[in-house]
Amino acid sequence: MPKVYLNVKASTWNKESFELFDYDTKNLAKRNFKVTETTCIYRENLKVSYSQQPLPSESTGNSLKIIGIIHKTQNSFLIKPPSLNRNYTLNQYEDLWMCTKGLKSDYRISEGDVIRLGRVSIRVLEISGFKKSHQKKPFIFAKDIPKGGLAQELLQKPQQATQTVELATEQIPCRICLSEESSTEDPLIKPCQCSGTMAVVHLSCLGYWLRSKVSVKRKRDTQSYLCGKLECELCKQKFSEQISIEDQKHSLISINKPEDKYLVLEALNEDQTPSSLHVVSLRNKKYFSLGRSHRCDVKLSDISVSREHSYIRVSKKGLYFEDNNSKFGSLVKVNKPIAIQKGNEVLLQAGKTLLNLSVQKKLGLFSCFGLQSKERPSEHSLRDITQESVC
C-alpha cells in the first residue's frame, strides 16, 4: 500500500480583517507542513500550527482558533469543519468555507447551502423549477465538490419558524386600534410578554404593523424584501413571520413568488438572523449577478462586497455559483466532511487563513519498481470516521 501524506499550505493575511482574506495581497504569513495521521489544525494569532493530540477546550479562545480537524484513512484524508464538533463553542473555532477560486468548474448550489460574499452570508432557501441534486452521503469527495452537496441537510427544506400565541381572555382593547371586538377570523391575541393594557392586539393589526417594517424593492426580475427588527418595541420579544393560534397557522408577512422557475435567497446578520430576502425569477434567464453595484440583480450594500462580486449561472442541470475575480472571494460554507484523495486539491478558507490541501505520495524504494497497491478507501471506513471526534 503506497504511503501518502496531506500537504498543507497555509497563508494568513497579516491584517485585522474581520474574518476576510484578501486574494490580491502579498502581505501574508505563510507556513507549509505535512500531515500523515489524525491531526488538529489551529491558528494562534498569525501562526498556523497543528497538533496530533486533542486540544483541550480551555486552551482555545481569542488568540487560538481551531480551523480544521483531519482524519487519516488508508490512501485519503478526511477534513472535518470544527463546527461539527460539539465540544467547542462558537468563539473557539472558525467556520470552514470552500473557495470557488480553487475549483476547476463552477459549484452547483442546493437548498440549504450558505454562500458568502465578503462579510455577507446568504442562505439558499428555495430553488423551484430545477431537478434536485442531492448528495446523501455524510461526507463528500473533493473531486465531487462542483456537483454540490456541502450543506449538511439537503433533503430537508428550511422550514419557516412558527410562533405559538395565546388568545386573549381579558376584556382589554387592542393596543393598536383600541377596539375590543374579537372574531374567529380576527381574534385578539397575546403575542409577546407585555402585560396590562399593552398585552393584547388584533391578529390583523399585528400583521399590518409588521408589514410596515418590511420595504419591498423591485428591479427587473428580482423582488427584495428588506426587514427591520421584527420585535416588540416594549418587551423586545422577537416575532416570527408565521404564528400558530389553536393549531392554525397564519402568515403575518406574505412573499410573492413567480409561478415557475425562481430562486429565494436570504441574507443573514452576524447572529444568523435574516436581514433581507431576495426572490429572483429565473424564467428566460441565463445568469444573474450579485454585488454592491446598483446594476446587479441582487444588491448587497456592504463595503467588503465587490461591485459585481459573483454570478449564478442558470443551466438546464441547475444553478451554478461562480466568482468574478472579487477581492475577498466567493465562498460556500462547509457543513460536512471532505474526503481528499491523491490527485485532488482543495482550497479552503477559515477566517483570514487560506488552506491549500493536496494529497501526495511518499516515494520509497518499492515505488521505484512500480510495486504499488491499488486499494482504495471504502465508503464504509470514511462513514465511520465522520462520526468520530478528534478534538
Side-chain angles (χ1 to χ4, degrees), residues 71-307:
H71 291 272
K72 173 68 173 65
T73 168
Q74 294 188 16
N75 294 333
S76 67
F77 291 85
L78 197 73
I79 179 164
K80 295 176 64 176
S83 58
L84 297 183
N85 192 302
R86 299 180 180 179
N87 295 331
Y88 291 95
T89 58
L90 289 174
N91 67 330
Q92 295 173 327
Y93 64 83
E94 286 184 335
D95 288 325
L96 207 57
W97 300 81
M98 186 275 301
C99 177
T100 59
K101 291 178 182 287
L103 296 179
K104 295 181 180 179
S105 57
D106 302 330
Y107 176 81
R108 183 176 180 179
I109 61 174
S110 305
E111 291 177 352
D113 272 327
V114 177
I115 61 178
R116 180 174 157 189
L117 291 71
R119 293 180 297 188
V120 179
S121 296
I122 302 174
R123 181 185 292 120
V124 181
L125 277 187
E126 186 178 355
I127 299 176
S128 177
F130 296 87
K131 184 179 178 180
K132 300 293 188 298
S133 174
H134 299 313
Q135 302 213 31
K136 303 177 184 179
K137 302 173 184 176
F139 62 92
I140 182 172
F141 285 103
K143 62 182 178 63
D144 294 331
I145 287 179
K147 298 178 183 178
L150 286 174
Q152 184 69 11
E153 297 293 339
L154 286 176
L155 300 179
Q156 181 181 358
K157 266 193 175 183
Q159 295 183 352
Q160 191 176 19
T162 303
Q163 178 185 357
T164 302
V165 300
E166 299 178 356
L167 291 172
T169 56
E170 303 90 344
Q171 293 292 328
I172 302 175
C174 171
R175 70 184 189 186
I176 294 180
C177 70
L178 302 181
S179 172
E180 296 183 3
E181 293 184 4
S182 180
S183 64
T184 305
E185 295 76 18
D186 190 19
L188 284 168
I189 58 175
K190 301 178 68 174
C192 60
Q193 299 177 358
C194 288
S195 59
T197 58
M198 303 301 292
V200 175
V201 65
H202 280 114
L203 173 63
S204 61
C205 292
L206 178 62
Y208 181 82
W209 177 65
L210 290 179
R211 286 191 293 273
S212 69
K213 292 179 169 291
V214 179
S215 60
V216 182
K217 295 184 178 181
R218 294 176 174 84
K219 180 191 297 184
R220 296 190 293 273
D221 299 317
T222 304
Q223 292 186 91
S224 297
Y225 298 81
L226 308 178
C227 306
K229 288 186 177 182
L230 302 181
E231 64 180 19
C232 176
E233 296 178 346
L234 300 177
C235 67
K236 302 302 180 183
Q237 177 175 322
K238 294 183 179 179
F239 295 123
S240 298
E241 298 175 10
Q242 183 173 265
I243 64 173
S244 175
I245 305 173
E246 295 184 335
D247 297 329
Q248 291 189 356
K249 294 182 179 180
H250 303 266
S251 296
L252 298 177
I253 299 176
S254 59
I255 305 296
N256 295 324
K257 299 177 182 178
E259 294 182 357
D260 48 7
K261 298 180 180 180
Y262 63 87
L263 171 68
V264 181
L265 300 174
E266 181 183 49
L268 304 174
N269 294 312
E270 291 184 4
D271 59 356
Q272 300 304 298
T273 58
S275 62
S276 60
L277 199 70
H278 306 275
V279 181
V280 185
S281 174
L282 303 178
R283 187 177 184 181
N284 300 324
K285 211 171 184 66
K286 294 183 178 180
Y287 75 95
F288 64 94
S289 56
L290 303 93
R292 200 175 74 246
S293 171
H294 67 278
R295 296 176 298 180
C296 292
D297 296 276
V298 176
K299 186 177 184 300
L300 304 170
S301 301
D302 191 284
I303 192 63
S304 64
V305 178
S306 299
R307 288 182 175 84

Side-chain angles (χ1 to χ4, degrees), residues 8-24:
V8 181
K9 298 179 181 179
S11 302
T12 303
W13 190 18
N14 191 9
K15 187 177 181 180
E16 185 58 44
S17 61
F18 301 99
E19 298 186 356
L20 297 173
F21 181 87
D22 187 353
Y23 288 84
D24 298 329

Side-chain angles (χ1 to χ4, degrees), residues 336-353:
K336 62 172 59 174
I338 299 175
I340 310 173
Q341 298 175 306
K342 185 177 178 295
N344 300 149
E345 185 176 2
V346 179
L347 202 61
L348 301 175
Q349 182 178 329
K352 58 183 178 181
T353 296

